[in-house]
């Protein structure tokens, strides 16, 4: 008779563990009876056990054994291709200037910049004084090291610098670090004159840091037990952290609180909101304990953000139109909004920043980045900054001072490396300060880029940015890499990538599909890919692929596709619906267990995600809709393309068990013999490996997988 413990087959578990020690065959995750009922529907989920009941601590030995077995299998399968991984890695590394440094920027009495040392995974932060108003990088005394990331990262598998804020008087630095990928940061304060750290240590932070005007303390926000920042707090230097004052607390579990400051640094901004609604309060930087000024109360569906110029608020809002508009209001009557710049059906206004003599409006005109200078004496007359290419990504760079006449800008395209400009707002002259250096060499003339439009099945034209090597033969046989995201109103810019060159130089075309769900063409574009219209996102991606095939850029089965996080959900949906189109699939930290996650209100992000996906707990229509497309729930017996799936054990955004459960179910159900790999970073989170070279190696592995599966190994 078999031994059972609480319904668990002990003998079978032992056999499963034995099989999982075999590196040469795919691991098989055990199935354990589990079901739940919602809205009268009972759903079986035999891989639910892969969610450790003690999460965020993961100690279940069976769970860990399965993840380690998958990692061992990954290593075994990829071992014969390690020479290709190494070649790709060296190519990618060779395109990175190892002693890279940023262009110094003046902020007050100092010039600030960052620099990598040769071989360094992480950057160092530097400054030097500015003498007599001179703004050249050579001005001032000796270089001063503010923060040594390599030293802080030593001994840690993962390292990430979060908030970084120098006090107004330049004497103190408050910064936050995460050393395990969980996105719970710890604040430390460094005395920049002595080099010593102050005794206060604040763990569990998930926010920016804003100093008060007198530098007596700073504002920050703590993450609660569900990784939600529902507060803004004030820490006064020299006092116990336990006595920090909570200045604001958000009662709605779906909202997040953030702290920032206006461009003139006179006001501290306390902002709260979810994906569709926002609310802003102001505190005088001179008195953080004052009663906050509410700019305008939250109204469902209304978003707004603010900046200030003198006694006037500049309010960027979508209250009347999804293309947004700009309003002003006196700080004395912040809710009395007057329209300054009306919505434009062709220009999606994405942001506004104020400076002493002008304000800057950023946005996208028919999907392409635009930047305009507006003078206060003629605020409705834009002075557009022109850029040379038909498809590109551009935006404001680091402009920390309120009294600026020369703006720092960033620019790149799919064929133009990242470029830093200074733009003189008086003369309108553009000065090139730096062009991304590619030590191994780069000739942009060897590549071409286009912006295509491909009709989706409902007739909507989907923009597609594509880059390819000169001489690319459109004969329907060439390999193509297709990338998209399609969620949260996040646009994917047509920017430059050195890693991408390893594919282009092997004959690939590389395309970005600007599908609905992002806000590439405005907020309405975003709304047309969320909630009940979520299927548009998946259909757009498939229809772009079919359009590229019809135009003979590639052929079915010759397309490699990739997506991360919500883009990984996209990957899961399209491999269920149209598996024959794809020759290889990269799904990084994929959000694929959508129904279970949206039904679990205790998970870190779930309540705040309901405006994006719907609330299946309370809404049967949302339950039915999510159940209809959730990739994990819709895995079925069919042939699937080759899959490379990744996850992070400490990931609070897409929890590790989502990719693990998906991989386990796919292994059990799919009818093909195509390779399926699951790699879990056991010491990292949502972003994967943190060092600049370690992250390159992960990219090299993914590219090697694609080249292997499409038969382009070289």
């Amino acid at each position: 008779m078999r031994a059972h413990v609480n319904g668990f087959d002990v003998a079978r578990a032992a056999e499963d563990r034995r099989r999982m020690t075999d590196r040469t065959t795919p691991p098989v995750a055990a199935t354990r009876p589990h079901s739940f009922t919602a809205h009268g529907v009972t759903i079986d989920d035999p891989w639910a056990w892969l969610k450790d009941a003690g999460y965020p601590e993961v100690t279940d030995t069976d769970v860990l054994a399965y993840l380690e077995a998958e990692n061992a299998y990954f290593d075994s399968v990829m071992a014969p291709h390690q020479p290709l991984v190494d070649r790709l890695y060296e190519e990618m590394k060779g395109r990175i200037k190892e002693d890279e440094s940023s262009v110094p920027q003046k902020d007050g009495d100092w010039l600030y910049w960052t620099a990598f040392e040769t071989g360094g995974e992480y950057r160092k932060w530097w400054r030097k004084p500015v003498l007599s108003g001179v703004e050249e990088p050579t001005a001032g005394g000796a270089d001063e090291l503010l923060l040594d990331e390599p030293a802080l990262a030593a001994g840690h598998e993962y390292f990430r610098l979060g908030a970084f804020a120098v006090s107004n008087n330049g004497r103190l630095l408050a910064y936050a670090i995460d050393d395990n990928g969980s996105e719970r940061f710890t604040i430390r304060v460094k005395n920049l004159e002595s080099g010593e750290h102050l005794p206060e240590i604040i763990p569990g932070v998930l926010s920016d840091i804003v100093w008060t005007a007198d530098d007596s303390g700073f504002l920050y926000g703590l993450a609660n037990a569900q990784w939600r920042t529902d507060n803004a707090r004030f820490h006064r230097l020299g006092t116990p952290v336990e006595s920090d004052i909570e200045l604001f607390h958000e009662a709605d579990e779906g909202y997040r609180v953030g702290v920032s400051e206006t461009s003139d640094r006179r006001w501290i901004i306390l902002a709260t909101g979810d994906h569709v609604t926002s609310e802003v309060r102001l505190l005088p930087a001179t008195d953080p304990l004052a009663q906050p000024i509410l700019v305008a109360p939250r109204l469902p569906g209304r978003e707004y953000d603010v900046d200030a110029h003198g006694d006037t608020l500049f309010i960027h809002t979508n209250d009347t139109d999804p293309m947004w508009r700009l309003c002003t209001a006196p700080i004395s009557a912040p809710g009395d909004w007057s329209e300054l710049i009306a919505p434009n059906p062709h220009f999606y206004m994405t942001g506004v920043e104020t400076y002493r003599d002008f304000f800057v409006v950023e946005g996208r005109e028919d999907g392409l980045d635009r930047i305009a200078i507006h003078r206060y004496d003629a605020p409705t007359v834009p002075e557009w900054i022109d850029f040379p290419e038909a498809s590109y990504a551009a935006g404001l760079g680091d402009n920390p001072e309120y009294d600026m006449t020369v703006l720092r800008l960033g620019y790149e395209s799919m064929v133009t490396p990242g470029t830093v400009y200074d733009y003189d707002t008086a003369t309108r002259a553009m000065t090139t300060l730096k062009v991304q250096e590619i030590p191994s060499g780069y000739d942009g003339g060897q590549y071409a880029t286009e912006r295509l439009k491909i009709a989706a099945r409902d007739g909507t034209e989907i923009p597609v940015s594509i880059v390819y090597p000169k001489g690319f033969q459109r004969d329907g046989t060439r390999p193509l890499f297709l990338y998209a995201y399609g969620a949260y109103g996040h646009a994917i810019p047509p920017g430059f990538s050195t890693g991408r060159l390893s594919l282009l130089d092997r004959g690939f075309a590389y395309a970005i599909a600007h599908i609905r769900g992002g806000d590439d063409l405005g907020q309405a574009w975003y709304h047309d890919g969320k909630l009940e219209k979520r299927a548009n996102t998946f259909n757009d991606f498939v229809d772009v692929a079919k359009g590229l095939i019809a135009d003979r850029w590639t052929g079915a089965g010759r397309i490699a596709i990739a997506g991360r996080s919500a883009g990984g959900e996209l990957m899961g949906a399209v491999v269920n619906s149209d598996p024959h189109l794809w020759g290889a699939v990269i799904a990084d930290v994929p959000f694929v267990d959508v129904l279970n996650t949206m039904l679990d209100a205790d998970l870190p992000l779930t309540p705040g995600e309901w405006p994006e996906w719907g609330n299946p707990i309370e809404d049967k229509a949302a339950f039915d809709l999510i159940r209809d497309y959730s990739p994990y729930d819709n895995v079925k017996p069919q042939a699937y393309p080759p899959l490379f799936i990744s996850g992070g054990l400490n990931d609070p955004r897409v929890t590790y068990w989502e990719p693990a459960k998906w991989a386990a179910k796919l292994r059990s159900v799919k009818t093909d013999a195509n390779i399926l790999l699951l790699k879990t970073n056991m010491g990292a989170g949502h972003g994967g490996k943190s060092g600049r070279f370690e992250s390159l190696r992960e990219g090299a592995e993914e590219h090697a997988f694609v080249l292997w599966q499409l038969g382009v190994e070289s």
Side-chain angles (χ1 to χ4, degrees), residues 353-385:
E353 288 193 21
T354 61
Y355 297 89
R356 190 192 67 177
D357 298 327
F358 55 86
F359 63 93
V360 179
V361 173
E362 292 188 276
R364 287 192 287 278
E365 185 174 5
D366 296 326
L368 287 177
D369 290 339
R370 298 301 307 274
I371 304 172
I373 311 297
H374 292 255
R375 309 290 172 174
Y376 293 113
D377 57 359
T380 61
V381 181
E383 299 173 9
W384 294 105
I385 299 175

Side-chain angles (χ1 to χ4, degrees), residues 638-703:
Q638 65 175 8
Y640 280 86
L643 283 151
F644 182 129
I645 303 168
S646 71
L649 190 68
N650 299 327
D651 188 349
R653 297 177 183 268
V654 175
T655 47
Y656 76 87
W657 60 82
E658 293 208 30
K661 288 173 61 179
W662 186 42
K665 187 172 185 179
L666 282 164
R667 287 204 192 284
S668 175
V669 171
K670 71 190 189 83
T671 61
D672 60 89
N674 289 328
I675 198 72
L676 187 157
L677 299 176
L678 170 65
K679 178 183 179 181
T680 303
N681 277 309
M682 305 301 283
H686 197 62
K689 298 286 188 179
S690 56
R692 61 171 175 161
F693 297 127
E694 282 299 307
S695 61
L696 276 187
R697 188 167 291 280
E698 291 192 327
E701 287 177 339
E702 293 180 358
H703 280 11

Side-chain angles (χ1 to χ4, degrees), residues 123-147:
R123 59 174 54 86
K124 294 183 177 182
W125 297 71
W126 297 88
R127 74 177 182 182
K128 65 168 47 179
V130 176
L131 299 181
S132 303
V134 178
E135 298 184 13
E136 294 298 324
T138 55
D143 295 352
E144 178 182 331
L145 179 61
L146 301 180
L147 196 68

